[in-house]
């Protein structure tokens, strides 16, 4: 049975995370190489740099859910340290791989050509291995998320590797529409989907959302769709809802 769950509009206005997130980090918890809360940038493999986020009060005997965060276009993996405090300081381990195209000062970009797709998939898998080697991860609670084009890439990686991911979160990013992203639809429809959409988005219009939502509905996916007022932007409200969506899935599995 397919399930499309649409929430009422969020009442809070869209806020830019990049402009406000630093003021939300508790005093004394600013990112640093010495902080037990934040990991540092290290090579996850020969082709990709990743950032690791270790939660507050990390418990070595607990298997944490893992969030794989794909950074925005024009940014880099260090965005993880600005975003995760707004998702949760203690619920998840998180890791962010680096996109293939770009450079440090101008940022990196997720492209949808076959070579970039292959690179992104390899980088995500290497980042998961990197996080798993350094922290305790629950292998059945791995989620991938991103905003805009990064959300589209998150969709693509999760739907082609459903054996790895429990869920995918695309924050104002459409479904990919090339290189047969639904080629494994019969097995990938077991991946839970969180889809956030800004109602006045220029980059991801309502018409495209409705068309793609119908496609997922017909294919039998379980989709949690939430719409927000305003134009394009990654808001604190969206990130908070992402945290609640992941945690709610854990509660629903408790018998």
């Amino acid at each position: 049975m397919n399930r499309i769950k649409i929430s009422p509009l969020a009442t809070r206005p869209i806020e830019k995370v990049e402009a406000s997130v630093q003021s939300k980090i508790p005093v004394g918890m600013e990112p640093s190489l010495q902080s037990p809360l934040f990991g540092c940038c290290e090579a996850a493999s020969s082709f990709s740099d990743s950032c690791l986020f270790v939660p507050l009060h990390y418990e070595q005997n607990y298997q944490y859910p893992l969030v794989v965060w794909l950074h925005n276009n024009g940014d880099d993996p260090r965005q993880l340290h600005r975003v995760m405090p707004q998702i949760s300081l203690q619920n998840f381990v998180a890791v962010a791989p680096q996109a293939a195209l770009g450079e440090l000062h101008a940022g990196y970009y997720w492209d949808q050509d076959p070579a970039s797709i292959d690179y992104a998939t390899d980088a995500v898998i290497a980042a998961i291995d990197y996080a798993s080697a350094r922290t305790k991860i629950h292998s059945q609670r791995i989620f991938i998320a991103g905003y805009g084009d990064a959300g589209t890439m998150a969709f693509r990686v999760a739907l082609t590797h459903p054996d790895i991911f429990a869920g995918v979160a695309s924050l104002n990013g459409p479904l990919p529409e090339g290189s047969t992203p639904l080629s494994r639809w019969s097995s990938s429809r077991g991946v839970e989907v969180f889809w956030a959409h800004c109602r006045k988005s220029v980059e991801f219009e309502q018409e495209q959302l409705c068309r793609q939502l119908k496609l997922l509905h017909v294919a039998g996916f379980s989709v949690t769709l939430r719409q927000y007022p305003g134009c394009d932007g990654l808001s604190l409200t969206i990130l908070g809802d992402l945290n609640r969506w992941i945690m709610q899935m854990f509660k629903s599995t408790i018998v």
Side-chain angles (χ1 to χ4, degrees), residues 176-240:
E177 295 187 332
S179 301
T180 60
L182 290 177
S183 60
R184 300 188 63 188
W185 70 271
S186 59
S187 55
S188 64
R189 63 185 177 180
V191 176
E192 296 281 341
V193 176
F194 178 83
W195 212 352
H197 179 254
C198 301
R199 289 181 66 91
K200 296 183 179 180
S201 174
V202 175
E203 299 176 356
F204 184 20
E205 295 182 349
Q206 184 91 2
E207 180 181 353
Q208 184 181 16
L209 170 69
C210 293
R211 173 169 51 83
Q212 294 187 338
L213 183 62
K214 182 178 180 180
L215 176 62
L216 290 183
H217 176 77
V218 171
F221 282 83
S222 175
V223 181
T224 297
L225 172 65
R226 295 189 178 175
Q227 291 189 289
Y228 303 83
C231 301
D232 302 282
L234 182 57
S235 74
L236 303 180
T237 305
I238 293 174
L239 294 177

Side-chain angles (χ1 to χ4, degrees), residues 9-253:
L9 285 177
T11 56
R12 290 178 59 184
I14 296 295
E15 304 168 274
K16 292 289 186 178
V17 169
E18 301 301 330
S20 60
V21 67
Q22 292 297 341
S23 64
K24 302 293 184 179
I25 299 175
V27 175
M29 288 186 169
E30 297 81 1
S32 71
L33 300 186
Q34 291 75 35
S35 172
L37 174 62
F38 296 99
C40 59
C41 286
E42 298 180 32
S45 72
S46 61
F47 57 82
S48 176
D49 289 338
S50 290
C51 267
L52 181 68
F53 175 92
V54 180
L56 182 66
H57 306 309
Y58 174 77
E59 292 287 344
Q60 294 186 358
N61 295 321
Y62 175 72
Q63 290 183 316
Y64 282 85
L66 176 66
V67 174
V68 181
W69 177 259
L70 304 187
H71 62 78
N72 291 15
N73 277 354
D75 212 314
D76 62 57
R78 292 173 297 179
Q79 185 190 41
L80 182 74
H81 294 161
R82 304 191 298 274
V83 169
M84 281 308 298
Q86 298 309 313
I87 298 176
S88 174
L89 284 169
Q90 60 185 16
N91 290 340
F92 316 109
V93 169
V95 67
Q98 183 175 287
L101 304 177
E103 58 184 21
L104 181 61
H105 299 295
Y108 297 86
Y109 297 82
W110 305 100
D111 205 349
Q112 297 293 322
D113 64 89
S116 296
I117 293 168
D118 289 343
Y119 180 96
T121 301
D122 290 343
V124 166
I125 293 173
I128 293 172
D129 291 342
Y130 172 70
S132 299
R134 289 157 177 78
T135 59
K136 287 203 171 182
I137 302 300
H138 196 304
S139 62
Q140 296 181 340
R141 294 181 178 179
I142 299 177
F143 301 84
I144 185 168
Y147 172 80
D149 289 339
T152 298
M153 185 61 79
F155 259 137
R156 189 182 291 280
V157 174
L159 296 181
T160 53
H161 293 276
D163 52 316
I164 297 177
F165 301 99
V168 55
S170 180
L171 313 181
N172 210 51
L175 277 173
E177 295 187 332
S179 301
T180 60
L182 290 177
S183 60
R184 300 188 63 188
W185 70 271
S186 59
S187 55
S188 64
R189 63 185 177 180
V191 176
E192 296 281 341
V193 176
F194 178 83
W195 212 352
H197 179 254
C198 301
R199 289 181 66 91
K200 296 183 179 180
S201 174
V202 175
E203 299 176 356
F204 184 20
E205 295 182 349
Q206 184 91 2
E207 180 181 353
Q208 184 181 16
L209 170 69
C210 293
R211 173 169 51 83
Q212 294 187 338
L213 183 62
K214 182 178 180 180
L215 176 62
L216 290 183
H217 176 77
V218 171
F221 282 83
S222 175
V223 181
T224 297
L225 172 65
R226 295 189 178 175
Q227 291 189 289
Y228 303 83
C231 301
D232 302 282
L234 182 57
S235 74
L236 303 180
T237 305
I238 293 174
L239 294 177
D241 285 346
L242 173 60
N243 172 51
R244 285 182 284 273
W245 172 73
I246 297 176
M247 296 306 294
Q248 185 61 42
M249 278 199 294
F250 298 166
K251 292 179 183 178
S252 66
T253 60

